[in-house]
Amino acid sequence: MCKNSESVRVQGVYFIRNNKNGSIKIGSSKDIFKRFSQLVSKAKSTGEKFPDLELVYYFPCSQYKELEKKLHHVFSTRRITNEWFLTSIEEIIHIVDRLKNRYS
């Protein structure tokens, strides 16, 4: 990850792992680091003192909503709920690498 990521605004698709159950959230945002902070704050507000969420990968791109939708489709058989999936970050990176030229 880059230094001082809170001050950098990056739009794209992000992948957040819940280290408690291994699930990965596939989401998109105009400001990935701000969105991650919001999700951590939301988890804390629901009673989790130490939410074990980790921003494990992100892919900056202009067509982030379209890429997110495509990834949700690709991983649909592994969906737990909403935007959370049981898959590995290695598999996600492999798929993103295959798709990135279409959504850059």
Side-chain angles (χ1 to χ4, degrees):
M1 216 64 60
C2 62
K3 292 181 181 178
N4 298 321
S5 58
E6 292 83 27
S7 64
V8 177
R9 187 172 178 184
V10 178
Q11 70 177 15
V13 177
Y14 61 81
F15 306 90
I16 296 172
R17 180 174 33 229
N18 178 334
N19 288 317
K20 291 182 180 175
N21 66 12
S23 63
I24 296 178
K25 178 178 176 65
I26 300 173
S28 66
S29 177
K30 289 188 272 185
D31 189 337
I32 291 171
F33 301 113
K34 181 178 179 181
R35 179 67 180 135
F36 177 67
S37 294
Q38 290 170 339
L39 291 168
V40 170
S41 294
K42 182 178 178 183
K44 287 180 180 178
S45 74
T46 61
E48 281 193 59
K49 289 185 181 177
F50 305 104
D52 201 357
L53 300 177
E54 178 184 6
L55 180 62
V56 290
Y57 184 68
Y58 63 91
F59 178 69
C61 62
S62 58
Q63 297 179 29
Y64 55 92
K65 290 185 185 232
E66 294 84 357
L67 179 56
E68 177 192 22
K69 185 176 179 179
K70 177 67 173 177
L71 291 168
H72 284 190
H73 177 73
V74 168
F75 292 103
S76 63
T77 60
R78 298 182 191 160
R79 184 184 311 268
I80 298 172
T81 181
N82 300 326
E83 297 184 328
W84 291 91
F85 301 82
L86 276 180
T87 187
S88 70
I89 195 61
E90 293 80 13
E91 187 171 12
I92 287 172
I93 291 170
H94 175 75
I95 299 295
V96 169
D97 279 345
R98 286 184 35 218
L99 295 172
K100 67 183 176 186
N101 290 333
R102 295 185 211 169
Y103 297 95
S104 295

